[in-house]
């Protein structure tokens, strides 16, 4: 379980995130959704201890993130930040290999190599593995970063908008892969998703964040509802049933059309 208790980040006198009290159960996929600037990335980076909180406590599987040594935490939780443009003169394979660092300490074993190869193959990066990151498209680079994070093989995986720059095929493949990691490997995945419908389709729970607060937490059936999404996103949202579960339609003209359709 990930537990936040009274967590706050005070960026300035006008911008404060929290206080947030939140319990994310172990296992499955929890999607963080909400408008731009709501505080999703702030919460995720604090959980991943890339940024300290100004108040409150955060525990992951009973480990207080501010008190657990980095080397231990690196085997418990991995995180993909929203912005990852810090290194470019690395090849895809070198980058993905960094995911093994908490285990290899820089001396990659054959077992590590096999895990790296598997991730590279899975994400369709085999032909690109010796290219430098700045020689890739945005979507290819994004896949390389996610491959690195999953190579870390931690029980808790935090991903901030991993579908950025991905086309339909790669978005679906990514979500299916995460679904399998949760179902078959028992990983706990917390993922910031921009597209509410990916959350509706693949997440077990949706946590809606708005104005620095958690405003909703529930199953897709509970959250993907006209009233809730319209309120969270400040734009008219119409939710429809599909054979795969609820879908949100928020492209205004379509939503308006659906509303005006005669019943039956
Ligand atoms: N380093 C920072 N310094 C000051 N304000 C920040 C900083 N990072 C984010 N913010 C502000 O905090 C709020 C939440 O940002 P963020 O967590 O990135 O939102 P989200 O990921 O939901 O779009 C926004 O108003 C943003 O402008
Ligand atoms: Mg963000």
């Amino acid at each position: 379980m990930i537990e936040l208790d009274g967590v706050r980040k005070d960026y300035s006198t006008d911008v404060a995130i929290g206080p947030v009290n939140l319990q994310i159960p172990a296992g499955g996929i929890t999607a963080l959704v909400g408008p731009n600037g709501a505080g999703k990335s702030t919460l995720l980076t604090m959980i991943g201890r890339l940024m300290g909180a100004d108040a409150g406590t955060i525990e992951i599987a009973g480990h207080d993130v501010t008190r657990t040594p980095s080397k231990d935490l690196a085997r418990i939780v991995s995180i993909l930040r929203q912005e990852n443009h810090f290194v470019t003169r690395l090849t895809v394979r070198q980058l993905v290999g960094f995911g093994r660092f908490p285990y290899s300490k820089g001396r990659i074993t054959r077992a590590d190599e096999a895990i790296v190869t598997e991730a590279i193959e899975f994400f369709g990066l085999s032909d690109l593995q010796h290219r430098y990151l700045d020689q890739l498209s945005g979507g290819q680079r994004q896949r390389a970063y996610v491959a690195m994070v999953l190579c870390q093989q931690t029980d808790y995986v935090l991903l901030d908008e991993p579908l950025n720059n991905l086309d339909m095929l790669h978005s679906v493949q990514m979500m299916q892969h995460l679904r399998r990691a949760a179902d078959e490997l028992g990983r706990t995945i917390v993922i910031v998703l921009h597209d509410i419908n990916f959350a509706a389709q693949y997440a077990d729970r949706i946590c809606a964040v708005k104005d620095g607060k958690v405003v909703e937490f529930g199953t897709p059936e509970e959250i993907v509802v006209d009233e809730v999404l319209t309120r969270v996103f400040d734009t008219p949202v119409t939710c429809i049933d599909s054979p795969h579960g609820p879908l949100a339609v928020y492209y205004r003209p379509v939503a308006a059309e659906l509303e005006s359709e005669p019943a039956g």
Side-chain angles (χ1 to χ4, degrees):
M1 179 160 84
I2 297 174
E3 193 162 11
L4 283 73
D5 188 7
V7 171
R8 243 182 42 228
K9 181 77 201 172
D10 304 320
Y11 281 124
S12 64
T13 43
D14 333 318
V15 184
I17 305 299
V20 168
N21 299 310
L22 176 65
Q23 295 184 341
I24 299 173
I29 299 179
T30 301
L32 293 185
V33 304
N36 294 150
K40 306 178 297 294
S41 295
T42 300
L43 288 175
L44 208 72
T45 36
M46 288 193 294
I47 296 170
R49 214 202 15 192
L50 296 179
M51 181 170 63
D54 292 318
T57 57
I58 301 174
E59 285 188 0
I60 303 178
H63 303 272
D64 182 328
V65 299
T66 61
R67 290 188 200 170
T68 308
S70 289
K71 65 175 179 30
D72 298 334
L73 211 62
R75 291 173 177 227
I76 298 166
V77 62
S78 54
I79 178 166
L80 173 77
R81 303 189 76 157
Q82 193 171 355
E83 313 294 346
N84 272 298
H85 307 298
F86 51 97
V87 276
T88 47
R89 294 317 282 178
L90 275 180
T91 65
V92 169
R93 192 167 180 97
Q94 286 171 331
L95 177 81
V96 178
F98 272 133
R100 300 306 302 159
F101 195 82
Y103 307 91
S104 67
K105 303 286 184 293
R107 300 222 322 252
I108 291 230
T109 64
R110 276 168 100 148
D112 291 320
E113 290 287 2
I115 293 166
V116 169
T117 299
E118 196 184 328
I120 284 174
E121 281 172 6
F122 180 82
F123 285 104
L125 295 165
S126 302
D127 292 346
L128 303 171
Q129 61 180 309
H130 300 301
R131 281 229 213 136
Y132 287 102
L133 296 176
D134 58 2
Q135 299 170 332
L136 301 178
S137 76
Q140 291 166 339
R141 200 158 40 231
Q142 185 72 4
R143 273 145 56 203
Y145 280 109
V146 177
M148 171 186 72
V149 170
L150 292 179
C151 261
Q152 208 173 318
Q153 295 186 328
T154 54
D155 282 347
Y156 289 80
V157 182
L158 315 174
L159 301 165
D160 199 344
E161 301 201 26
L163 304 185
N164 269 359
N165 295 313
L166 298 192
D167 59 25
M168 280 188 204
L169 170 70
H170 289 105
S171 297
V172 168
Q173 280 183 347
M174 177 83 66
M175 291 311 297
Q176 287 180 336
H177 187 59
L178 296 176
R179 194 63 258 177
R180 274 208 305 279
D183 294 342
E184 293 167 22
L185 304 174
R187 302 273 154 81
T188 302
I189 296 170
V190 183
I191 180 172
V192 179
L193 288 174
H194 197 66
D195 184 337
I196 183 73
N197 287 323
F198 272 106
Q201 293 293 306
Y202 289 99
D204 300 292
R205 295 168 287 273
I206 299 177
C207 174
V209 182
K210 187 179 185 183
D211 299 331
K213 302 260 185 351
V214 170
V215 291
E216 295 286 340
F217 190 91
T219 63
E221 287 71 23
E222 288 164 339
I223 305 297
V224 184
V225 172
D226 300 12
E227 183 275 317
V228 174
L229 294 183
T230 298
R231 177 162 43 81
V232 169
F233 289 98
D234 284 322
T235 187
V237 182
T238 303
C239 299
I240 54 176
D241 284 327
S242 87
H244 307 291
L247 278 176
V249 182
Y250 50 90
Y251 180 60
R252 276 172 185 249
V254 175
E257 237 174 66
L258 284 169
E259 255 167 51
S260 65
E261 252 172 29

